[in-house]
Amino acid sequence: MSSFHEECGVFGVYSRETNDLASMTYYALFALQHRGQESAGIVVNDDGVFTYQKGEGLISEVFSTDNLSSLGKGNIAVGHVRYATTGAKLLQNIQPLIVNHHKGRMALCHNGNLSNSYALRTRYEEQGAIFHTTTDSEVISYTIVQERLSHGSIEKAVSAAMDMIEGAYSLVISSPQKLIAARDPHGFRPLCYGETDDGKIVFASESCALDAVGARLVRDLLPGEIAVVDSGGIRFDTSHCHICPKRFCVFEYIYFARPDSVIDGASVSRCRRMAGRFLAQEHSVDADIVIGVPDSGLEAAIGYAQELGIPYAIGFTKNKYIARTFIAPEQGQRAQGVGIKLNPIRDVVDGKRVVLIDDSIVRGTTCRRIAGLLWNAGAKEIHMRVSAPPFKCPCYYGTDIDSAEVLIANRLSVDDIAKEIGVTSLGYLNIDHVRLLTGEDTGFCTACFDGNYPTVIPSDTAKNRFETKISEKKQV
Amino acid sequence: MSSFHEECGVFGVYSRETNDLASMTYYALFALQHRGQESAGIVVNDDGVFTYQKGEGLISEVFSTDNLSSLGKGNIAVGHVRYATTGAKLLQNIQPLIVNHHKGRMALCHNGNLSNSYALRTRYEEQGAIFHTTTDSEVISYTIVQERLSHGSIEKAVSAAMDMIEGAYSLVISSPQKLIAARDPHGFRPLCYGETDDGKIVFASESCALDAVGARLVRDLLPGEIAVVDSGGIRFDTSHCHICPKRFCVFEYIYFARPDSVIDGASVSRCRRMAGRFLAQEHSVDADIVIGVPDSGLEAAIGYAQELGIPYAIGFTKNKYIARTFIAPEQGQRAQGVGIKLNPIRDVVDGKRVVLIDDSIVRGTTCRRIAGLLWNAGAKEIHMRVSAPPFKCPCYYGTDIDSAEVLIANRLSVDDIAKEIGVTSLGYLNIDHVRLLTGEDTGFCTACFDGNYPTVIPSDTAKNRFETKISEKKQV
Amino acid sequence: MSSFHEECGVFGVYSRETNDLASMTYYALFALQHRGQESAGIVVNDDGVFTYQKGEGLISEVFSTDNLSSLGKGNIAVGHVRYATTGAKLLQNIQPLIVNHHKGRMALCHNGNLSNSYALRTRYEEQGAIFHTTTDSEVISYTIVQERLSHGSIEKAVSAAMDMIEGAYSLVISSPQKLIAARDPHGFRPLCYGETDDGKIVFASESCALDAVGARLVRDLLPGEIAVVDSGGIRFDTSHCHICPKRFCVFEYIYFARPDSVIDGASVSRCRRMAGRFLAQEHSVDADIVIGVPDSGLEAAIGYAQELGIPYAIGFTKNKYIARTFIAPEQGQRAQGVGIKLNPIRDVVDGKRVVLIDDSIVRGTTCRRIAGLLWNAGAKEIHMRVSAPPFKCPCYYGTDIDSAEVLIANRLSVDDIAKEIGVTSLGYLNIDHVRLLTGEDTGFCTACFDGNYPTVIPSDTAKNRFETKISEKKQV
Amino acid sequence: MSSFHEECGVFGVYSRETNDLASMTYYALFALQHRGQESAGIVVNDDGVFTYQKGEGLISEVFSTDNLSSLGKGNIAVGHVRYATTGAKLLQNIQPLIVNHHKGRMALCHNGNLSNSYALRTRYEEQGAIFHTTTDSEVISYTIVQERLSHGSIEKAVSAAMDMIEGAYSLVISSPQKLIAARDPHGFRPLCYGETDDGKIVFASESCALDAVGARLVRDLLPGEIAVVDSGGIRFDTSHCHICPKRFCVFEYIYFARPDSVIDGASVSRCRRMAGRFLAQEHSVDADIVIGVPDSGLEAAIGYAQELGIPYAIGFTKNKYIARTFIAPEQGQRAQGVGIKLNPIRDVVDGKRVVLIDDSIVRGTTCRRIAGLLWNAGAKEIHMRVSAPPFKCPCYYGTDIDSAEVLIANRLSVDDIAKEIGVTSLGYLNIDHVRLLTGEDTGFCTACFDGNYPTVIPSDTAKNRFETKISEKKQV
């Protein structure tokens, strides 16, 4: 129930034989849909000829039987789902980004955010470059193409570009003949690869996409690793590995990723249950029932319940027909109808001391509304437990919180937050427990909790100075 | 995960003052969306002038801010969501059904199926009647209008019509000045009513729709009861009550209804957990983990787990972006990609003795596929438990199973079903336990389990002889 | 450039062999599109099984390759295009109207308006009938089905129904086995039939639809004639012929019909040129150039020019991309941009004495605007000539003018109209010349010019009392 | 009825006050719709903040009240309609092309084709440039931005770019503060400017767009002229004027432009009538009637008829509901239904010696079909007259004929063409008369008639090497 968002999901596949890779990519993107619901695109590369479909909306809206079949067959395909931040819902920003350059075409899919995008872009513009989009991804593309001038191969150009770009990036790139995947040296965002029984190599943001296309998970790319697939098979370039400590985004485990995914060897489902157990150890309470806020709070609730031996229950019915296109026709009515998305099950909570597990508190408004639902349904006590530490600092690595002022944990103490959202007690997961979610200290980025940013903070945090003006204007 | 369907959800509201009832009905239908996803409609009645919007698809597809506001204000509104059975996806079948007659207009919403529809219709046709649709609902409308000729008021006409029509019906009807609700004497389908703080009276198939519009549940209509609302308030006609035993559809509790609904005084969520406890008492097993098939199997799984003290877990991730419009572009690919809708969480089931709870087995194919997913994910044993008895007989009262041959429980013994679907053991809920799901024997229809039909079986079970020809033709 | 409208176009085809009649009907409706642009429908009858597609909009919007092919093959098809008058743009009003009755299905297409529809409907409603639509066409259907009770065949039922219904109707009807066409005894609206080389029989509102499907025009049905086609070929029932004088709508020649159509033996193009010649004889003038208002004024302009030996010219460019969906975003802007639909060609009119031919003047506002365009383009004089007499009385026979007050010719003398619309001189075609447009006095309805209505004027001229309330409400 | 196409229409407006320029641009594009029907776009520039809407389809499809109002107000707007040649119907190719560079944003609209686009692009790519589109327009943009590096203002950059680019271009460009229009030194394509009463300055491909927005035509830009509008008013740079002879595309007069437009001082309507008079002088014939192929042949037909004193008539009814989306469901049916788009008026041609005027013959297939229609309608003789010389050479300056092999005039003599298309006689307009169409020899490009190309022929005539591969692939 978090109100912040992941920005993207990426996918790529290489097939020795020409094949219907459009359908395969469609299924993979469908499994990655939770990582971005605002636009989607697929590029099929048939021996250097790129055909694509892109559009706004869910992939079930963007793709049809007709337009998928119009993509034809190919031996490489890449796909992308996107959540766009303010001001950037522009048609041409939809990925994969396709560019033409002196060596042919290149299609690029990017998950993450650069921290030096503005600096790079300004430098290129001063040399006369033009940019069509307002995305970091175009800066990455431009850097690769520039480096290609002095390096003989696309993979060397990617490697050279990685010396220049900084921040969070998981990339899947198709050149005319090769499929390349790369993960930034901090490993902020996930990127795994797998194989199908008939020898196709696939890359995806999460392993659930591999399941969806019948591929076996081999492993995650290492932070800094580059993988290149062509007719000669798969090769790895680890020259950017271990140049800095791993800083994987812990919210991938807590909230973003699908529970059936396995990231860097750890099951997302297990990590969430572990978060619940840690929470129980830190903030135990005498209660009748443990419930979770759907969907990402459910597994932590089960862990919490099992650690303390309190019964677990399903406390809410979530309306599964809520869609991107759901409209709220009348504001007054809506306030009246608080149970539109989430309705508490009175029989479960009425007269009970309830433990309520959620994955985060951003501004606090959603939490207060949920607590209100439970009080109305007869809860006697509400003990809120959050399966993450207080969220205090903006993220520059691919999520959409960019303003510290809106974060309730910056304004209020834990006790005051509890009062503000109207719960009996409140407990957050301790940051030391967070570090052990996967069972060992694997190296997480904790910047959003403690402000320890692994990179220089971008000088211009706004995505684009022209965009900024637009969004300023729109707000007026 | 059942593959049979409820046919409809109904809603109606009466407001003394002219009001934006379209938005209110929209929110109510949104909460009833699970009862029918193929078409929807809203009629707003402003002092005898009926304005409507209808269309195919989810209500988020049928309604827009524009077309809702074009409905204007009114003092009565009725709405309907529909799941259409084969051959009847005709535009004019979309409800509410609006007819003009000598006393003005009437809009009718119907959930259920008549058992004597064909006989009545034939009789009217022989008198020169024309029918535009192929629905029972038009037969009900025609009967009411015919009876209106010799009865002074709409409510008397409805009462007289109830002497003629037979089978399952929960009705919400708007005449120019009145809102009428009626439930058949067997009470096959639910129908409740409530009030808002500002005195609006609402009727709905399920109480979750009352929650969605901020109305307080008063009670369910009695089987056979007629409620009439007009400027003089609400009145009840109980002349058809208790003329036959109550025969409520038990699958409303087990599968159709939303867990947050309360029907005839019993919480759906609680009944499902109870079904799990009964199942555990009947078919206990030594296992490591209990999981449910989402969404309707989850609560029974929790009940089963708690009864036996086995840990409960979330065993599957369900792709929440599966929409009515989801396409499966290539069949071969799809077979390969078994994890499209439901993906097991390997970490949960790998190496485990798993109890798997589902609400029903119809043909067995879905179950076999789900079991296959678990085996692939490493399950050591799969003990399937079904929170209902074997499904053996067709239903004539508002669900879409009409052929005994397709039901696996008619072909095979329980042991053979277990072999066919590939599970270690299989146990169904006993029918005697079913009768006690709500805590007392409230009178359920068990015809689909034991063939004890509460009414004469319709001579012409096909929905319509012309439709039939069409569907035969389509299958060729 | 008239601002009143025809209401419908009808088409039907019978083929001994099962055939792709959906495509054929699509092409025919496309040729009849000028008779109705608001909705369209096609019914294909395959040995009693009716399949249909209907929708709002142009036929290019309603039909797609997919939905046409979903109609399958058949041996009878009927189709309809419709222009709906105020308040009646209801989905279920879209024709063909399909009804089920004791003998099976019937699909009916109707062009025209009954004058006793309200009386018949009231009588049926008092017997308990229900009506789903607000159209005359449903009253006709009901009458036919009622008569069918005491008559052995559909054609006898149609004949009996024609004794009861009164007014304007050209009908094309499909029963399970037969295709029937009928024209009212006054012959208000056109209806012709033809044959294809391979023996298909087709009926259509205008012969241009026959051209579009490669059929040869045989002749028009006589006023009052019924044609029946089945496996035994075509038969005619003339029992209703010559029971009253022919009263064909003269505006079919002047404005409604396509110039390439031939109606009752007379070329529409020739009649329009004739109207121009008559106008020249009546109202000659010394001028430099003759231009027509596109499209229906062009042929009359050529006739006028040739009669007097004045050069003819194309005086306006009409924007051919004006569509039903064209929006006028800002009123002020629009007033500024008068040349949106029609732009005068300055080179043609600058400094000239211009004769301007149009087919009618309804309210006068359009004419004034057109005259203004010409003055701005430099015209020295504007002599307006109208190829019809002044329009003074409402039409009850299938066009959409129903209020005498709005007609400028009721308020003002010809001289005052000339002043009001701002032209140098104005001349209307004399009614005696109108009678001779086809070269002989064939019997025209002149009610809109002189109030001589061939039938009783409908007591309730409003289309429907419920509709009326709606439209009243909408205007508030 | 020509089967080759113009590629674009451009529009721009500058307003000292912030204004609703989106609506104004919408009306202008609507008037330019004949120049391109495949995509459209509008950019509104509000003090450097660019907002846009683009899409495929007619402008009535691309723009809605909602999306026009979302463009907000501004002081500069530019718009574009586009006809895309094979392989280039890519979403990102839709204009206006918007790019970001070191000085801000730039939106560019282009009508025409460069002849050295490939060479320029290759040079830039070799320096590491990336291109997103496959259009000449992006090459122009890139060149301007490059030149901007060493020139202080956008207008100087445009001027410098004009030293590098070669071929046909009429440009309308918005920089953050300025509106710039430029026409190539040969003046291949039209570009005029005008003023509104309230001081707005507008540029448009044709004067009909000025009429549509209530602007007064001032004059056409000179070949090679650059106009710059900003808060200081309008300024002109004529440094590229008269550096080469004027080579205006004569087909703008004969076929592309709207008859109500005035280009370089000459009325399009008058030029067409003149073409008809010249044809009559060259190829007179004894005939009964003169008809034109709609729409561009009509004025020439009137000129021909008046020169020889033969009656002019309207010979065809053109179905005005033919839309971009019209489908032809069954090929066989279509062959049968030859009269779909164009139906001859039998009464006009039956038994007559007909002169048929068209504007061009490309492959001959359309002409043969039209002649066939006339023969079927009873024509006794058909004398075809073409208001242009034989079309023999491909055009590289903004139309879509790029292959000499398909042109019938390259294969056959005039007599043999007459035989092939099945007409009694055939006459083309002489090239010397073409030169005098406007009344004086204004300097036309006659390359498509005589191969005298005013520029070097592009070495790579294909639009794009990657595109080419795609189109090759598509054809397999």
Side-chain angles (χ1 to χ4, degrees), chain B residues 49 52 92 100 131-132 138, chain C residues 52 92 100 131-132 138 470:
Chain B
V49 177
Y52 72 86
Q92 71 262 52
N100 306 309
F131 286 89
H132 291 238
E138 191 179 7
Chain C
Y52 72 86
Q92 71 263 50
N100 306 309
F131 286 88
H132 291 238
E138 192 179 7
I470 291 173

Side-chain angles (χ1 to χ4, degrees), chain A residues 46-52 54 70-71 73 90-92 97-102 104-105 121 125-134 138 141-142 145-146 149 464-467 469-470 473-474, chain D residues 46-52 54 70-71 73 90-92 97-102 104-105 121 125-134 138 141-142 145-146 149 464-467 469-470 473-474:
Chain A
D46 180 15
D47 196 27
V49 178
F50 288 56
T51 315
Y52 72 87
K54 295 180 184 186
S70 80
L71 290 175
K73 303 203 166 190
L90 302 173
L91 206 56
Q92 72 263 50
L97 180 70
I98 307 165
V99 301
N100 306 309
H101 58 100
H102 59 305
R105 286 198 164 168
R121 183 175 172 147
E125 284 181 348
E126 283 167 358
Q127 293 163 5
I130 61 177
F131 287 89
H132 292 236
T133 80
T134 56
E138 191 178 7
S141 298
Y142 199 88
V145 169
Q146 285 288 321
L149 288 177
N464 181 278
R465 58 212 147 108
F466 311 119
E467 292 299 325
K469 285 187 79 169
I470 289 173
K473 184 187 167 195
K474 288 279 161 62
Chain D
D46 180 17
D47 195 27
V49 177
F50 288 57
T51 314
Y52 72 86
K54 295 181 186 186
S70 79
L71 290 175
K73 303 203 165 191
L90 302 172
L91 206 55
Q92 71 263 51
L97 181 70
I98 307 165
V99 301
N100 305 309
H101 58 100
H102 59 304
R105 286 199 164 167
R121 183 175 173 146
E125 284 181 348
E126 281 167 0
Q127 293 163 3
I130 61 178
F131 287 90
H132 292 237
T133 79
T134 55
E138 191 179 7
S141 299
Y142 199 88
V145 169
Q146 286 289 320
L149 289 177
N464 181 279
R465 59 214 147 104
F466 311 119
E467 290 300 324
K469 285 186 78 172
I470 290 173
K473 186 187 166 195
K474 288 279 161 64

Side-chain angles (χ1 to χ4, degrees), chain C residues 327-338 340 369, chain D residues 20 23 27:
Chain C
I327 55 165
E330 201 203 310
Q331 219 48 39
Q333 184 71 41
R334 198 190 187 184
Q336 192 184 37
V338 281
I340 301 298
R369 211 175 299 168
Chain D
D20 176 13
S23 299
Y27 286 115

Side-chain angles (χ1 to χ4, degrees), chain A residues 375-395:
Chain A
W375 291 123
N376 285 342
K380 230 167 65 185
E381 297 173 5
I382 303 176
H383 301 280
M384 180 148 194
R385 298 295 178 266
V386 181
S387 59
F391 201 2
K392 295 195 169 171
C393 303
C395 172

